[in-house]
Amino acid sequence: MAWLRWDRGRQENGGKEYFKMLLARSARLRFDCYLLRYPATSGLDEHVDPAPDGFEHHRVNLILRQPATGGLFLCDRAIIDRPRLKYFRPDIHPHRVTEGVGERLVLSIGWLRKGRRPAGQA
């Protein structure tokens, strides 16, 4: 993935496209930061993002632009679920984005932390 360039997001997404731009990443610090862009009528199918063995995956999403309708982030077990701020564990919490009418823009910051519990358990 190229830095500061739009790349296609998750390919297995039911034919709906979204794009991500890498803003920062550190293998040593185990974090990344992306700008995510969901074009009009796009969304994201429900999924989990696996973490490497022995690690927990944490992510904070800040919604910068919300579509006129739809484009909602859905995660039944989000740790923080405010209208524009989402904090969740993408490795164990299934999540998705509903189709929207209008563009959706998200700043997404994720990090890995050494696990305190076996993988797959909340």
Side-chain angles (χ1 to χ4, degrees):
M1 166 163 270
W3 183 61
L4 296 180
R5 289 185 24 201
W6 290 111
D7 287 312
R8 282 190 173 156
R10 178 178 296 277
Q11 300 302 305
E12 57 284 343
N13 190 37
K16 298 174 277 188
E17 283 192 324
Y18 76 97
F19 300 90
K20 56 187 181 178
M21 178 188 294
L22 177 63
L23 301 178
R25 179 187 311 166
S26 171
R28 187 169 79 70
L29 298 175
R30 298 184 194 109
F31 92 97
D32 61 40
C33 180
Y34 288 94
L35 190 59
L36 306 176
R37 183 171 57 88
Y38 297 81
T41 71
S42 183
L44 186 60
D45 290 342
E46 185 172 273
H47 67 285
V48 294
D49 302 309
D53 285 343
F55 288 92
E56 299 174 351
H57 186 181
H58 295 258
R59 189 156 293 279
V60 171
N61 286 349
L62 178 62
I63 291 83
L64 304 175
R65 181 183 304 146
Q66 186 69 24
T69 60
L72 302 174
F73 174 85
L74 300 177
C75 178
D76 289 342
R77 299 202 43 217
I79 298 162
I80 296 174
D81 190 3
R82 302 279 187 242
R84 291 195 178 262
L85 179 68
K86 314 296 181 181
Y87 171 36
F88 64 108
R89 291 274 313 276
D91 56 334
I92 60 173
H93 299 156
H95 54 284
R96 69 187 185 100
V97 176
T98 64
E99 290 186 22
V101 176
E103 185 177 70
R104 181 175 190 265
L105 198 59
V106 178
L107 179 65
S108 184
I109 302 165
W111 65 95
L112 296 175
R113 183 171 79 180
K114 287 203 177 199
R116 294 183 283 187
R117 298 184 180 126
Q121 294 182 9

